[in-house]
Structure formats: structure tokens, C-alpha cells
Amino acid sequence: MCHTPPLYTNNKLTPAEGFAVPKDHLKKYDILPISLGTDPNLTLKTRRGTGYYKVPSLKGLWYRGMFGHSGWCATLEDWFDPRRTRDDYVPTGFKPYGAKTYAVKGHPFGLNLAEQDRKALIAFLKTL
């Protein structure tokens, strides 16, 4: 429902975890009724933060690299590795200053796939 063809995005906003959507925003913006549990820091604790993340297109995903809103995972294989949500995970991309491990939480979709299905999904994403 988020990355629908042909654009592979629905162009909607998803509220960050902990953000209370103002009622008047529901009339002004196209907002998904769910939060994906991604790290809310960039959108809640920065000067330009809005409280929302926009659903990105999956087109060209394979060459953009560094996945997650802060670039925690260097490859799609890392992004779809269910171990990334554990507290002892060592990110292959950005790590917060002074951290040796960092759980990359949020966006649970695709984490529970069988290995063969995970490889097929990654192969498909690399064709977009």
C-alpha cells in the first residue's frame, strides 16, 4: 500500500512515532494513518523537522544506497536483515557518535521473509 506501481510510492506522509498529527493537517495533507516506527529524531528534533516522513519511491533505490533515514544500512541485504532491529546490531552504514552497536528499528516490512523470498525481493528492487 505504500510503494505501489508504477511510481513505487503513494506520495503520502507517514507520521513519526510520537508525533501527534494536528486535526487540521488531516484536511491539508495526504497522511497515512500509521507510523512505521522509524527513528523520529530527524523529523522531531531538527530545525527543519515536520513530524512526518514522505514515502519514497523505490525506483532507483539500488543506486541511492545507505538505507534508513540516517543511512544506517549500506546495502539492501542489510536493510532486510532482521538482526538489524537487535540492540547488538553493528550498522554497516552510519553509527551514532560513540556507539559500537545500534538497533535500526522501524520499517518491519520484509524482515520476516524466507531467505529465498528475501533474495528475490532484493533482486526485484535492483531492477527498478
Side-chain angles (χ1 to χ4, degrees):
M1 103 181 185
C2 293
H3 302 284
T4 53
L7 299 177
Y8 291 93
T9 180
N10 60 13
N11 282 316
K12 292 186 179 191
L13 300 174
T14 179
E17 195 169 282
F19 178 69
V21 176
K23 289 187 186 225
D24 66 316
H25 283 200
L26 296 172
K27 294 177 184 172
K28 289 175 21 179
Y29 307 112
D30 202 358
I31 302 170
L32 286 171
I34 61 168
S35 175
L36 300 178
T38 53
D39 185 347
N41 287 324
L42 285 177
T43 194
L44 292 178
K45 296 181 180 178
T46 62
R47 182 173 55 92
R48 296 186 64 190
T50 62
Y52 302 104
Y53 287 114
K54 186 172 182 182
V55 176
S57 174
L58 298 180
K59 287 183 144 194
L61 179 73
W62 61 272
Y63 69 78
R64 290 194 306 252
M66 296 302 199
F67 304 97
H69 293 288
S70 287
W72 301 289
C73 297
T75 67
L76 286 170
E77 289 77 10
D78 297 328
W79 183 248
F80 289 110
D81 183 345
R83 294 175 295 180
R84 75 169 164 84
T85 62
R86 297 187 339 205
D87 289 333
D88 64 346
Y89 180 71
V90 178
T92 55
F94 171 79
K95 291 183 214 46
Y97 179 75
K100 294 185 182 185
T101 61
Y102 182 77
V104 180
K105 307 230 185 230
H107 201 282
F109 308 104
L111 294 180
N112 294 322
L113 294 172
E115 185 63 25
Q116 184 175 352
D117 292 336
R118 182 177 296 116
K119 286 180 181 180
L121 174 60
I122 291 168
F124 170 73
L125 290 172
K126 289 179 178 180
T127 69
L128 297 177

